[in-house]
Amino acid sequence: MQVPAHFEYERATSVDHALALLAKWGSEARVVAGGHSLIPMMKLRLARPEALVDINDLEELAYVRLDGDVLAVGAMTRHADLLASPLVGEHYPIFHDAERVIADPVVRNRGTVGGSLCQADPSEDLSAAFAAVDAAAVVRGPDGVRRVPVREFHTGPYETVVAPGELLVEVVVPVRPGGGSAYEKVERRVGDWAVAAAGAAVWLAGDTIADAGIGLTAVGAAHFHAPAAEEFLRGSAATDSVLVEAGRIAAERCEPVADQRGPADYKKHLAGELTVRALRRAVARARGVA
């Protein structure tokens, strides 16, 4: 039987209360939202927090809304709600693509956007999707609120910039005209962690790529994105040969490791191929033909 080590349990009733509880327990506390990743790790004794601070009652952090020219997603937004949001589908279909291949309905109904980002699993889907669209994480703590680019949010496997006593409260994505986005994933079976996955966002000015973002997961891409491939795309014609070359550049700079999901060379191949597929769909959507 898998049983967690002893821990204390506190249930927060507001963001301020959650911050007070985190201050009380210090670095030995962990926040639990959906719990689909943390609880199994605790049962295996891979995580042994002294206290869990449950934030499931914080409905104030469960929303998807347009704030001016920014799409704001509350940290307690459930995966299912992100998938169901017409606002998300209108501005960033990449999130609908990603959510459709995250786990299963049971997990999507309970798991949260903030929990996924803070778990910082190297194979996590939303981290790559948010990196592709150059989102920012809003973190609140005893010293106030700070905004961190998602591309700087993860400091390593299962590690983020969120310090003890702080709480991720929101993720914001700039909304710009002329864009399209998409997400592509290969998994061993439906709902599994990715063998490899890629997200892409492009903004066109006529037939030229004015800006682009590429997110990668499960392939050893630093901070879940591919800056060299993005730089290559900017100012280039949106032709298939350009997209293929961007995929090659993205794959070249990945450092996947062999594991039960596949050998490293296979994952590197997938990184390139999935990048190209995501870019093709993103360009088609930017042109209004997909």
Side-chain angles (χ1 to χ4, degrees):
M1 180 181 296
Q2 297 175 350
V3 180
H6 174 79
F7 63 92
E8 299 295 329
Y9 175 83
E10 303 263 21
R11 195 172 185 92
T13 56
S14 68
V15 172
D16 287 338
H17 186 213
L19 293 174
L21 292 173
L22 291 172
K24 169 185 173 182
W25 289 101
S27 61
E28 299 306 318
R30 291 289 299 272
V31 172
V32 60
H36 289 289
S37 297
L38 177 59
I39 300 303
M41 292 179 70
M42 290 174 63
K43 292 172 71 175
L44 293 170
R45 306 281 177 113
L46 297 175
R48 301 183 65 166
E50 289 187 6
L52 288 186
V53 176
D54 189 334
I55 61 171
N56 275 282
D57 287 344
L58 304 193
E59 292 298 322
E60 62 198 278
L61 299 183
Y63 55 84
V64 179
R65 63 190 181 216
L66 199 61
D67 289 342
D69 58 354
V70 169
L71 181 68
V73 181
M76 283 300 297
T77 302
R78 309 289 175 176
H79 292 297
D81 294 329
L82 194 67
L83 176 58
S85 170
L87 195 61
V88 169
E90 176 185 355
H91 294 288
Y92 282 107
I94 184 174
F95 296 117
H96 282 184
D97 294 343
E99 288 291 4
R100 289 188 186 100
V101 293
I102 290 176
D104 53 41
V106 173
V107 172
R108 291 196 294 268
N109 283 334
R110 190 66 179 168
T112 64
V113 171
S116 291
L117 290 178
C118 288
Q119 180 65 14
D121 191 292
S123 299
E124 205 279 312
D125 292 287
L126 286 187
S127 296
F130 278 115
V133 300
D134 203 16
V138 180
V139 179
R140 184 173 163 186
D143 297 325
V145 176
R146 61 193 179 105
R147 183 174 293 199
V148 182
V150 165
R151 296 179 176 197
E152 299 173 12
F153 185 76
H154 299 99
T155 57
Y158 307 103
E159 297 179 346
T160 74
V161 298
V162 180
E166 290 187 323
L167 188 67
L168 173 65
V169 295
E170 185 180 67
V171 186
V172 294
V173 188
V175 173
R176 295 182 280 166
S181 60
Y183 193 77
E184 296 281 348
K185 178 178 178 178
V186 167
E187 52 197 339
R188 294 180 302 176
R189 57 185 179 271
V190 175
D192 195 8
W193 293 106
V195 177
V202 296
W203 290 266
L204 299 181
D207 290 326
T208 300
I209 299 172
D211 199 5
I214 296 172
L216 294 166
T217 195
V219 292
H223 301 288
F224 292 96
H225 75 118
E230 295 169 351
E231 184 60 32
F232 169 77
L233 287 169
R234 293 185 186 104
S236 298
T239 62
D240 197 64
S241 61
V242 166
L243 306 186
V244 170
E245 177 62 12
R248 185 196 68 78
I249 295 171
E252 186 179 66
R253 285 160 173 78
C254 290
E255 297 183 1
V257 295
D259 58 18
Q260 71 273 22
R261 292 185 174 86
D265 57 349
Y266 173 58
K267 293 182 178 183
K268 182 166 283 202
H269 166 75
L270 284 179
E273 179 62 29
L274 295 177
T275 296
V276 174
R277 292 183 191 179
L279 283 168
R280 284 171 176 158
R281 277 212 294 158
V283 168
R285 285 171 171 172
R287 288 171 170 162
V289 296

